[in-house]
Amino acid sequence: MTDPQEVTRIIEETLGGAGGALVERMGIELTEASAERVTGRMPVEGNTQPYGLLHG
């Protein structure tokens, strides 16, 4: 499986739709997906704590 959109669909199905809302809200974008790894990116702006830090 290498299509990031297909991986996103599977994640949303697995999480019952709640994961899709979180992914959309946080601006997470999957950039690569394979059997060995999934990579993505997420903007820091809009996803910080009150002190301006992004907590991972």
Side-chain angles (χ1 to χ4, degrees):
M1 178 181 332
T2 58
D3 180 18
Q5 290 179 341
E6 179 68 7
V7 174
T8 300
R9 184 189 65 75
I10 292 169
I11 291 169
E12 289 174 355
E13 278 184 13
T14 303
L15 296 175
L22 180 62
V23 167
E24 185 176 323
R25 163 65 183 92
M26 295 186 77
I28 297 171
E29 176 187 348
L30 296 176
T31 57
E32 179 185 341
S34 71
E36 293 81 30
R37 106 186 186 167
V38 175
T39 61
R41 59 184 173 197
M42 180 186 79
V44 174
E45 184 177 338
N47 291 314
T48 58
Q49 297 176 339
Y51 296 110
L53 301 173
L54 176 65
H55 188 287

